[in-house]
Amino acid sequence: MVNIGKRFAAENIQSKMILQVHDELNFDVVKSELDQVKGIVKEEMESAIKLEVPLDVDMGVGLNWLEAH
């Protein structure tokens, strides 16, 4: 999560991480940044730690939490 924040700052992303619940992160994303944000989040979360098994990231998009699932 810290690395995502650093990448957002370095790449001048206006979108914001707004909530973390257990293994889920929620973002308020500027529509024009959606693809870039998804790429950053996937890359940073899947490479956060080296494990014997891969860390897979699933994403959903919607106007609210329910739509995103």
Side-chain angles (χ1 to χ4, degrees):
M1 290 171 35
V2 171
N3 289 342
I4 291 170
K6 288 179 182 178
R7 290 274 306 271
F8 279 16
E11 298 182 31
N12 295 315
I13 301 291
Q14 294 177 335
S15 301
K16 302 290 182 204
M17 186 181 335
I18 58 171
L19 182 66
Q20 179 264 328
V21 179
H22 302 292
D23 63 346
E24 182 173 314
L25 302 176
N26 290 288
F27 295 84
D28 185 15
V29 179
V30 175
K31 196 171 189 175
S32 63
E33 296 178 343
L34 181 60
D35 290 337
Q36 187 178 10
V37 167
K38 286 173 68 174
I40 290 169
V41 171
K42 185 169 180 68
E43 181 181 318
E44 293 298 336
M45 293 308 292
E46 288 184 343
S47 65
I49 188 170
K50 282 283 191 201
L51 299 173
E52 294 293 321
V53 296
L55 277 173
D56 291 327
V57 173
D58 294 323
M59 293 186 194
V61 176
L63 295 177
N64 57 51
W65 184 87
L66 182 61
E67 282 186 17
H69 288 81

PDB file of all heavy atoms in Angstrom, residues 43-64:
ATOM      1  N   GLU A  43       0.567  -4.418 -10.265  1.00  0.00           N
ATOM      2  CA  GLU A  43       2.020  -4.604 -10.217  1.00  0.00           C
ATOM      3  C   GLU A  43       2.563  -4.522  -8.792  1.00  0.00           C
ATOM      4  O   GLU A  43       3.334  -5.387  -8.365  1.00  0.00           O
ATOM      5  CB  GLU A  43       2.689  -3.547 -11.091  1.00  0.00           C
ATOM      6  CG  GLU A  43       4.193  -3.645 -11.146  1.00  0.00           C
ATOM      7  CD  GLU A  43       4.797  -2.557 -12.015  1.00  0.00           C
ATOM      8  OE1 GLU A  43       4.253  -2.276 -13.095  1.00  0.00           O
ATOM      9  OE2 GLU A  43       5.816  -1.992 -11.585  1.00  0.00           O
ATOM     10  N   GLU A  44       2.150  -3.518  -8.055  1.00  0.00           N
ATOM     11  CA  GLU A  44       2.676  -3.324  -6.706  1.00  0.00           C
ATOM     12  C   GLU A  44       2.185  -4.394  -5.729  1.00  0.00           C
ATOM     13  O   GLU A  44       2.950  -4.858  -4.886  1.00  0.00           O
ATOM     14  CB  GLU A  44       2.332  -1.932  -6.177  1.00  0.00           C
ATOM     15  CG  GLU A  44       3.015  -0.804  -6.914  1.00  0.00           C
ATOM     16  CD  GLU A  44       4.534  -0.830  -6.838  1.00  0.00           C
ATOM     17  OE1 GLU A  44       5.101  -1.412  -5.883  1.00  0.00           O
ATOM     18  OE2 GLU A  44       5.173  -0.273  -7.739  1.00  0.00           O
ATOM     19  N   MET A  45       0.946  -4.802  -5.839  1.00  0.00           N
ATOM     20  CA  MET A  45       0.416  -5.800  -4.907  1.00  0.00           C
ATOM     21  C   MET A  45       0.948  -7.203  -5.212  1.00  0.00           C
ATOM     22  O   MET A  45       1.235  -7.966  -4.304  1.00  0.00           O
ATOM     23  CB  MET A  45      -1.108  -5.787  -4.907  1.00  0.00           C
ATOM     24  CG  MET A  45      -1.703  -4.506  -4.343  1.00  0.00           C
ATOM     25  SD  MET A  45      -1.084  -4.023  -2.708  1.00  0.00           S
ATOM     26  CE  MET A  45      -1.777  -5.336  -1.711  1.00  0.00           C
ATOM     27  N   GLU A  46       1.092  -7.542  -6.483  1.00  0.00           N
ATOM     28  CA  GLU A  46       1.587  -8.883  -6.823  1.00  0.00           C
ATOM     29  C   GLU A  46       3.076  -9.037  -6.547  1.00  0.00           C
ATOM     30  O   GLU A  46       3.559 -10.154  -6.400  1.00  0.00           O
ATOM     31  CB  GLU A  46       1.274  -9.215  -8.283  1.00  0.00           C
ATOM     32  CG  GLU A  46      -0.190  -9.482  -8.514  1.00  0.00           C
ATOM     33  CD  GLU A  46      -0.541  -9.908  -9.918  1.00  0.00           C
ATOM     34  OE1 GLU A  46       0.276  -9.708 -10.853  1.00  0.00           O
ATOM     35  OE2 GLU A  46      -1.650 -10.436 -10.099  1.00  0.00           O
ATOM     36  N   SER A  47       3.797  -7.924  -6.462  1.00  0.00           N
ATOM     37  CA  SER A  47       5.239  -8.012  -6.199  1.00  0.00           C
ATOM     38  C   SER A  47       5.594  -7.522  -4.790  1.00  0.00           C
ATOM     39  O   SER A  47       6.762  -7.278  -4.499  1.00  0.00           O
ATOM     40  CB  SER A  47       6.007  -7.195  -7.245  1.00  0.00           C
ATOM     41  OG  SER A  47       5.702  -5.814  -7.128  1.00  0.00           O
ATOM     42  N   ALA A  48       4.609  -7.401  -3.910  1.00  0.00           N
ATOM     43  CA  ALA A  48       4.844  -6.876  -2.560  1.00  0.00           C
ATOM     44  C   ALA A  48       5.759  -7.769  -1.740  1.00  0.00           C
ATOM     45  O   ALA A  48       6.513  -7.285  -0.893  1.00  0.00           O
ATOM     46  CB  ALA A  48       3.511  -6.676  -1.846  1.00  0.00           C
ATOM     47  N   ILE A  49       5.701  -9.073  -1.971  1.00  0.00           N
ATOM     48  CA  ILE A  49       6.506 -10.024  -1.206  1.00  0.00           C
ATOM     49  C   ILE A  49       6.738 -11.263  -2.067  1.00  0.00           C
ATOM     50  O   ILE A  49       5.893 -11.636  -2.869  1.00  0.00           O
ATOM     51  CB  ILE A  49       5.805 -10.398   0.129  1.00  0.00           C
ATOM     52  CG1 ILE A  49       6.725 -11.232   1.010  1.00  0.00           C
ATOM     53  CG2 ILE A  49       4.485 -11.072  -0.116  1.00  0.00           C
ATOM     54  CD1 ILE A  49       6.198 -11.427   2.421  1.00  0.00           C
ATOM     55  N   LYS A  50       7.892 -11.877  -1.918  1.00  0.00           N
ATOM     56  CA  LYS A  50       8.204 -13.111  -2.642  1.00  0.00           C
ATOM     57  C   LYS A  50       7.694 -14.297  -1.840  1.00  0.00           C
ATOM     58  O   LYS A  50       8.046 -14.459  -0.674  1.00  0.00           O
ATOM     59  CB  LYS A  50       9.710 -13.260  -2.849  1.00  0.00           C
ATOM     60  CG  LYS A  50      10.259 -12.410  -3.946  1.00  0.00           C
ATOM     61  CD  LYS A  50       9.937 -13.029  -5.279  1.00  0.00           C
ATOM     62  CE  LYS A  50      10.722 -12.333  -6.362  1.00  0.00           C
ATOM     63  NZ  LYS A  50      10.120 -12.519  -7.658  1.00  0.00           N
ATOM     64  N   LEU A  51       6.857 -15.101  -2.461  1.00  0.00           N
ATOM     65  CA  LEU A  51       6.324 -16.310  -1.834  1.00  0.00           C
ATOM     66  C   LEU A  51       6.542 -17.494  -2.767  1.00  0.00           C
ATOM     67  O   LEU A  51       6.836 -17.324  -3.944  1.00  0.00           O
ATOM     68  CB  LEU A  51       4.824 -16.148  -1.552  1.00  0.00           C
ATOM     69  CG  LEU A  51       4.410 -15.023  -0.604  1.00  0.00           C
ATOM     70  CD1 LEU A  51       2.892 -14.904  -0.575  1.00  0.00           C
ATOM     71  CD2 LEU A  51       4.947 -15.290   0.790  1.00  0.00           C
ATOM     72  N   GLU A  52       6.382 -18.688  -2.250  1.00  0.00           N
ATOM     73  CA  GLU A  52       6.484 -19.898  -3.067  1.00  0.00           C
ATOM     74  C   GLU A  52       5.324 -20.002  -4.067  1.00  0.00           C
ATOM     75  O   GLU A  52       5.443 -20.625  -5.099  1.00  0.00           O
ATOM     76  CB  GLU A  52       6.513 -21.147  -2.173  1.00  0.00           C
ATOM     77  CG  GLU A  52       7.750 -21.250  -1.313  1.00  0.00           C
ATOM     78  CD  GLU A  52       9.011 -21.483  -2.126  1.00  0.00           C
ATOM     79  OE1 GLU A  52       8.969 -22.243  -3.112  1.00  0.00           O
ATOM     80  OE2 GLU A  52      10.042 -20.893  -1.766  1.00  0.00           O
ATOM     81  N   VAL A  53       4.209 -19.413  -3.703  1.00  0.00           N
ATOM     82  CA  VAL A  53       3.035 -19.406  -4.582  1.00  0.00           C
ATOM     83  C   VAL A  53       2.816 -17.969  -5.057  1.00  0.00           C
ATOM     84  O   VAL A  53       3.155 -17.014  -4.364  1.00  0.00           O
ATOM     85  CB  VAL A  53       1.769 -19.919  -3.863  1.00  0.00           C
ATOM     86  CG1 VAL A  53       1.932 -21.371  -3.481  1.00  0.00           C
ATOM     87  CG2 VAL A  53       1.461 -19.089  -2.639  1.00  0.00           C
ATOM     88  N   PRO A  54       2.249 -17.811  -6.248  1.00  0.00           N
ATOM     89  CA  PRO A  54       2.047 -16.444  -6.748  1.00  0.00           C
ATOM     90  C   PRO A  54       0.939 -15.712  -5.986  1.00  0.00           C
ATOM     91  O   PRO A  54      -0.016 -16.327  -5.517  1.00  0.00           O
ATOM     92  CB  PRO A  54       1.646 -16.653  -8.205  1.00  0.00           C
ATOM     93  CG  PRO A  54       1.109 -18.041  -8.262  1.00  0.00           C
ATOM     94  CD  PRO A  54       1.830 -18.825  -7.209  1.00  0.00           C
ATOM     95  N   LEU A  55       1.100 -14.415  -5.858  1.00  0.00           N
ATOM     96  CA  LEU A  55       0.046 -13.555  -5.330  1.00  0.00           C
ATOM     97  C   LEU A  55      -0.767 -13.067  -6.525  1.00  0.00           C
ATOM     98  O   LEU A  55      -0.233 -12.373  -7.381  1.00  0.00           O
ATOM     99  CB  LEU A  55       0.644 -12.341  -4.610  1.00  0.00           C
ATOM    100  CG  LEU A  55       1.074 -12.507  -3.178  1.00  0.00           C
ATOM    101  CD1 LEU A  55       1.786 -11.247  -2.693  1.00  0.00           C
ATOM    102  CD2 LEU A  55      -0.115 -12.802  -2.292  1.00  0.00           C
ATOM    103  N   ASP A  56      -2.006 -13.442  -6.582  1.00  0.00           N
ATOM    104  CA  ASP A  56      -2.870 -13.012  -7.680  1.00  0.00           C
ATOM    105  C   ASP A  56      -3.781 -11.897  -7.205  1.00  0.00           C
ATOM    106  O   ASP A  56      -4.319 -11.949  -6.098  1.00  0.00           O
ATOM    107  CB  ASP A  56      -3.729 -14.177  -8.196  1.00  0.00           C
ATOM    108  CG  ASP A  56      -2.906 -15.230  -8.908  1.00  0.00           C
ATOM    109  OD1 ASP A  56      -1.901 -14.869  -9.553  1.00  0.00           O
ATOM    110  OD2 ASP A  56      -3.261 -16.408  -8.812  1.00  0.00           O
ATOM    111  N   VAL A  57      -3.969 -10.897  -8.035  1.00  0.00           N
ATOM    112  CA  VAL A  57      -4.813  -9.754  -7.714  1.00  0.00           C
ATOM    113  C   VAL A  57      -6.047  -9.787  -8.593  1.00  0.00           C
ATOM    114  O   VAL A  57      -5.936  -9.896  -9.814  1.00  0.00           O
ATOM    115  CB  VAL A  57      -4.041  -8.431  -7.922  1.00  0.00           C
ATOM    116  CG1 VAL A  57      -4.955  -7.230  -7.770  1.00  0.00           C
ATOM    117  CG2 VAL A  57      -2.870  -8.343  -6.962  1.00  0.00           C
ATOM    118  N   ASP A  58      -7.211  -9.729  -7.973  1.00  0.00           N
ATOM    119  CA  ASP A  58      -8.474  -9.611  -8.699  1.00  0.00           C
ATOM    120  C   ASP A  58      -8.964  -8.190  -8.531  1.00  0.00           C
ATOM    121  O   ASP A  58      -8.804  -7.588  -7.465  1.00  0.00           O
ATOM    122  CB  ASP A  58      -9.537 -10.564  -8.126  1.00  0.00           C
ATOM    123  CG  ASP A  58      -9.178 -12.019  -8.332  1.00  0.00           C
ATOM    124  OD1 ASP A  58      -8.612 -12.338  -9.391  1.00  0.00           O
ATOM    125  OD2 ASP A  58      -9.441 -12.813  -7.424  1.00  0.00           O
ATOM    126  N   MET A  59      -9.583  -7.647  -9.573  1.00  0.00           N
ATOM    127  CA  MET A  59     -10.086  -6.277  -9.517  1.00  0.00           C
ATOM    128  C   MET A  59     -11.502  -6.217 -10.041  1.00  0.00           C
ATOM    129  O   MET A  59     -11.886  -6.985 -10.914  1.00  0.00           O
ATOM    130  CB  MET A  59      -9.217  -5.352 -10.365  1.00  0.00           C
ATOM    131  CG  MET A  59      -7.837  -5.177  -9.846  1.00  0.00           C
ATOM    132  SD  MET A  59      -6.983  -3.931 -10.824  1.00  0.00           S
ATOM    133  CE  MET A  59      -5.335  -4.216 -10.289  1.00  0.00           C
ATOM    134  N   GLY A  60     -12.237  -5.285  -9.501  1.00  0.00           N
ATOM    135  CA  GLY A  60     -13.568  -4.983  -9.985  1.00  0.00           C
ATOM    136  C   GLY A  60     -13.717  -3.478 -10.067  1.00  0.00           C
ATOM    137  O   GLY A  60     -13.052  -2.736  -9.354  1.00  0.00           O
ATOM    138  N   VAL A  61     -14.598  -3.023 -10.948  1.00  0.00           N
ATOM    139  CA  VAL A  61     -14.811  -1.594 -11.140  1.00  0.00           C
ATOM    140  C   VAL A  61     -16.307  -1.325 -11.084  1.00  0.00           C
ATOM    141  O   VAL A  61     -17.104  -2.082 -11.655  1.00  0.00           O
ATOM    142  CB  VAL A  61     -14.247  -1.130 -12.505  1.00  0.00           C
ATOM    143  CG1 VAL A  61     -14.551   0.340 -12.749  1.00  0.00           C
ATOM    144  CG2 VAL A  61     -12.755  -1.393 -12.587  1.00  0.00           C
ATOM    145  N   GLY A  62     -16.691  -0.281 -10.388  1.00  0.00           N
ATOM    146  CA  GLY A  62     -18.093   0.094 -10.321  1.00  0.00           C
ATOM    147  C   GLY A  62     -18.262   1.439  -9.659  1.00  0.00           C
ATOM    148  O   GLY A  62     -17.310   2.000  -9.109  1.00  0.00           O
ATOM    149  N   LEU A  63     -19.453   1.959  -9.727  1.00  0.00           N
ATOM    150  CA  LEU A  63     -19.746   3.245  -9.101  1.00  0.00           C
ATOM    151  C   LEU A  63     -19.840   3.139  -7.589  1.00  0.00           C
ATOM    152  O   LEU A  63     -19.772   4.133  -6.883  1.00  0.00           O
ATOM    153  CB  LEU A  63     -21.034   3.838  -9.661  1.00  0.00           C
ATOM    154  CG  LEU A  63     -20.982   4.208 -11.147  1.00  0.00           C
ATOM    155  CD1 LEU A  63     -22.330   4.718 -11.611  1.00  0.00           C
ATOM    156  CD2 LEU A  63     -19.897   5.224 -11.416  1.00  0.00           C
ATOM    157  N   ASN A  64     -19.982   1.896  -7.086  1.00  0.00           N
ATOM    158  CA  ASN A  64     -20.014   1.659  -5.644  1.00  0.00           C
ATOM    159  C   ASN A  64     -19.458   0.264  -5.380  1.00  0.00           C
ATOM    160  O   ASN A  64     -19.146  -0.479  -6.301  1.00  0.00           O
ATOM    161  CB  ASN A  64     -21.434   1.820  -5.092  1.00  0.00           C
ATOM    162  CG  ASN A  64     -22.423   0.913  -5.772  1.00  0.00           C
ATOM    163  OD1 ASN A  64     -22.222  -0.299  -5.899  1.00  0.00           O
ATOM    164  ND2 ASN A  64     -23.525   1.500  -6.243  1.00  0.00           N
TER     165      ASN A  64
END
